[in-house]
Amino acid sequence: MYKGFGVTVTVTHPDHRAPKIAPLVVVARDERDAELIAAQAAGPSASAETLRELTDDEVLAYGLDLQDHGSAKVLPILNL
């Protein structure tokens, strides 16, 4: 079974517009795996940072399946 992580993804734009930042919850093996999954989902100009591992209650609240490695959900606001 995997773990749930709260991650922020930053997408930079080549035309120097302000970067866009989005919060995600990700199912992964560890923090580094969560960052790789999130950055890959956001595209080639993205970077990600893991904030922390989610609690069991948060995993349930976000409806994450800890058997589904690589699944991610974008959150409307960061509420970790």
Side-chain angles (χ1 to χ4, degrees), residues 7-80:
V7 179
T8 58
V9 174
T10 302
V11 179
T12 56
H13 300 281
D15 60 1
H16 303 292
R17 287 185 288 160
K20 296 199 182 249
I21 299 171
L24 283 83
V25 288
V26 177
V27 176
R29 287 184 294 273
D30 55 31
E31 290 182 5
R32 182 66 184 134
D33 188 37
E35 292 170 357
L36 291 171
I37 290 166
Q40 185 176 34
S45 60
S47 62
E49 178 182 357
T50 300
L51 300 175
R52 65 177 173 82
E53 184 177 339
L54 301 177
T55 66
D56 292 339
D57 289 339
E58 289 169 324
V59 168
L60 289 174
Y62 291 122
L64 296 177
D65 177 0
L66 295 183
Q67 300 292 329
D68 189 11
H69 178 262
S71 65
K73 293 184 179 184
V74 177
L75 304 177
I77 59 169
L78 187 60
N79 189 20
L80 296 175

